Amino acid sequence: MKDKVIFLIGIMNMVISCETPINSLEKKKINYQELPKPVKERIFSLYGDLPEEEQDRIEYKHIFRDLNNPPKYEYYTKQEFFFRWIYNGYIKNKETKKVYTLKKEITEERGSEFIIYGDSLYIPNHYNIYEKDSLSYTFTRFILR
């Protein structure tokens, strides 16, 4: 019985360790003016010129855009094991298969817009953002490595 418990704990550690929380990545707080031009152009209009049928895809419903051409990352959600009503967001590098969890700390304020440009993830530090107030916003840039 003891061997089975140790085996299960080992399997759980392997599953958990395959996912990197974004809060553990190198990050920098930046102002709106410091955002790269493609990110500035898309942050308030995530759908942009996307056809309506494409807007129904899961990653766009959860306000995720990979501005790389071709896209390097994909977005998906997964149900919590114990709390089945909670779905967590994940970003996966298509080449390396490395997975990043988008869980946030309880004490931090963070918007739900996720934009990837190059190997950086940009997230607003505010819940609701509007273009007319853009100069007052800050963002966090996470380096996806």
Side-chain angles (χ1 to χ4, degrees):
M1 178 67 175
K2 183 179 176 184
D3 293 335
K4 289 180 183 179
V5 172
I6 291 172
F7 177 75
L8 286 174
I9 290 173
I11 294 294
M12 292 294 286
N13 279 339
M14 283 176 45
V15 170
I16 292 171
S17 65
C18 293
E19 301 166 352
T20 304
I22 61 167
N23 284 332
S24 69
L25 299 173
E26 179 184 335
K27 60 186 168 186
K28 181 180 179 187
K29 189 174 176 179
I30 59 175
N31 294 318
Y32 173 78
Q33 299 90 324
E34 298 174 81
L35 290 174
K37 186 178 179 185
V39 176
K40 281 183 188 177
E41 291 171 351
R42 198 55 83 174
I43 192 72
F44 298 108
S45 174
L46 291 174
Y47 291 131
D49 54 358
L50 219 56
E52 235 176 274
E53 59 274 5
E54 288 287 310
Q55 294 178 15
D56 287 338
R57 290 188 11 220
I58 186 77
E59 62 265 30
Y60 300 120
K61 285 184 177 179
H62 290 276
I63 315 181
F64 168 82
R65 284 302 297 269
D66 183 352
L67 301 180
N68 296 310
N69 194 8
K72 293 180 175 182
Y73 296 87
E74 62 186 5
Y75 175 86
Y76 64 95
T77 59
K78 209 166 41 173
Q79 245 179 341
E80 284 266 342
F81 184 74
F82 292 111
F83 305 106
R84 305 300 285 174
W85 61 90
I86 298 175
Y87 288 82
N88 293 311
Y90 297 86
I91 295 174
K92 181 179 181 180
N93 185 313
K94 292 179 179 182
E95 292 175 11
T96 65
K97 309 295 186 216
K98 188 162 186 175
V99 176
Y100 303 94
T101 64
L102 296 172
K103 289 183 185 179
K104 63 180 178 179
E105 301 294 325
I106 293 175
T107 57
E108 69 182 333
E109 180 180 353
R110 184 188 301 158
S112 58
E113 298 84 359
F114 305 106
I115 294 186
I116 293 181
Y117 181 65
D119 283 323
S120 295
L121 170 65
Y122 297 90
I123 303 176
N125 295 332
H126 314 277
Y127 289 115
N128 298 314
I129 59 172
Y130 302 98
E131 194 166 4
K132 65 181 180 179
D133 300 325
S134 61
L135 296 178
S136 64
Y137 296 136
T138 59
F139 296 80
T140 301
R141 182 186 79 197
F142 297 92
I143 306 297
L144 302 174
R145 291 190 188 143

